[in-house]
């Protein structure tokens, strides 16, 4: 019955962002459409915009620091009406965004936690679309082989709590919603290159482990 983001972001979406020591970050953005089952009002569309910074390259053996993910979901008018029907004045919760990193020697599925801080549900009527903001961090990773890689965004799982103006829970209490990607969308958040000449300290350790 409520709305939230993916993301990944968001992201994503499930998302991951790279910031190698020798690379400058480039803005990356992706907008995806989901279908989410909500209490009382059934399945509803949810549009999610994922924004982060991801450099185009990272050296072999370099560990990436966590990078901030910002996401904005657009809840539709039916969701707005449903929330107001149970006297919701605000909404908060969290999202787990599924993502996947593909690179030479790597096929890495990720679950990225994203926070939905408490924010107001607009007054009504009229019942309209409205945005819900969320943010999170992607985990650090490193790569042992050079080559091309990409980050794709998948489904999201919402845990949401709408609240009344006095801070008490509505009749919906806290609920979960497994949102699925609508078919036929481009799900690549970013592409990158893993280059030779990464961290000198990391490469011998990888060879010893082998």
């Amino acid at each position: 019955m409520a709305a939230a983001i993916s993301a990944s972001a968001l992201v994503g979406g499930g998302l991951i962002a790279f910031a190698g020591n020798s690379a400058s970050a480039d803005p990356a953005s992706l907008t995806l459409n989901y279908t989410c089952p909500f209490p009382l009002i059934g399945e509803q569309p949810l549009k999610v915009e994922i924004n982060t910074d991801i450099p185009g390259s990272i050296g072999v053996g370099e560990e990436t620091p966590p990078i901030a993910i910002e996401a904005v979901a657009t809840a539709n008018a039916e969701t707005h009406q449903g929330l107001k029907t149970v006297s919701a004045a605000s909404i908060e919760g969290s999202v787990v965004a599924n993502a996947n990193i593909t690179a030479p020697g790597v096929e890495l599925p990720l679950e990225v936690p994203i926070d939905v801080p408490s924010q107001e549900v607009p007054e009504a009527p009229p019942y309209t679309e409205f945005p819900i903001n969320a943010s999170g961090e992607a985990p650090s990773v490193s790569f042992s082989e050079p080559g091309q890689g990409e980050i794709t965004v998948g489904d999201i799982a919402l845990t949401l709590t709408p609240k009344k103006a006095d801070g008490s829970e509505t009749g919906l209490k806290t609920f979960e919603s497994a949102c699925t990607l609508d078919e036929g969308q481009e799900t690549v958040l970013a592409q990158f290159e893993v280059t030779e000449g990464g961290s000198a300290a990391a490469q011998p350790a990888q060879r010893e482990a082998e």
Side-chain angles (χ1 to χ4, degrees):
M1 175 131 189
I5 54 74
S6 64
S8 12
L10 62 243
V11 221
L15 332 169
I16 190 155
F18 295 96
N21 295 333
S22 60
S24 59
D26 298 322
S29 181
L30 181 66
T31 299
L32 293 170
N33 294 310
Y34 292 85
T35 298
C36 304
F38 293 139
L40 300 181
I41 59 174
E43 292 188 342
Q44 297 295 326
L46 184 68
K47 181 172 70 175
V48 180
E49 179 183 341
I50 304 160
N51 294 287
T52 188
D53 290 331
I54 301 175
S57 65
I58 181 173
V60 166
E62 290 182 353
E63 184 171 304
T64 66
I67 295 298
I69 299 162
E70 301 294 334
V72 180
T74 301
N76 67 1
E78 288 80 2
T79 301
H80 188 199
Q81 183 175 10
L83 287 169
K84 285 305 181 183
T85 298
V86 295
S87 302
S90 66
I91 189 168
E92 61 191 73
S94 62
V95 179
V96 175
N98 292 292
N100 195 75
I101 300 175
T102 303
V106 174
E107 185 71 30
L108 182 63
L110 296 174
E111 292 185 347
V112 181
I114 301 175
D115 180 54
V116 181
S118 179
Q119 49 208 282
E120 292 184 358
V121 175
E123 293 297 329
Y127 301 112
T128 62
E129 292 184 346
F130 69 98
I132 296 180
N133 300 304
S135 61
E137 282 188 344
S140 298
V141 296
S142 64
F143 303 95
S144 60
E145 299 178 35
Q148 296 294 318
E150 68 177 19
I151 304 158
T152 56
V153 180
D155 296 337
I156 58 176
L158 314 179
T159 301
L160 301 171
T161 306
K163 291 186 176 181
K164 299 178 181 180
D166 62 4
S168 63
E169 292 184 349
T170 68
L172 297 179
K173 300 187 181 298
T174 297
F175 65 90
E176 298 180 351
S177 177
C179 301
T180 56
L181 274 169
D182 294 349
E183 295 183 359
Q185 299 182 85
E186 174 57 66
T187 61
V188 176
L189 174 64
Q191 295 179 321
F192 60 93
E193 182 179 3
V194 182
T195 61
E196 295 279 11
S199 169
Q203 291 180 25
Q206 290 173 350
R207 287 194 293 268
E208 289 173 9
E210 294 169 359

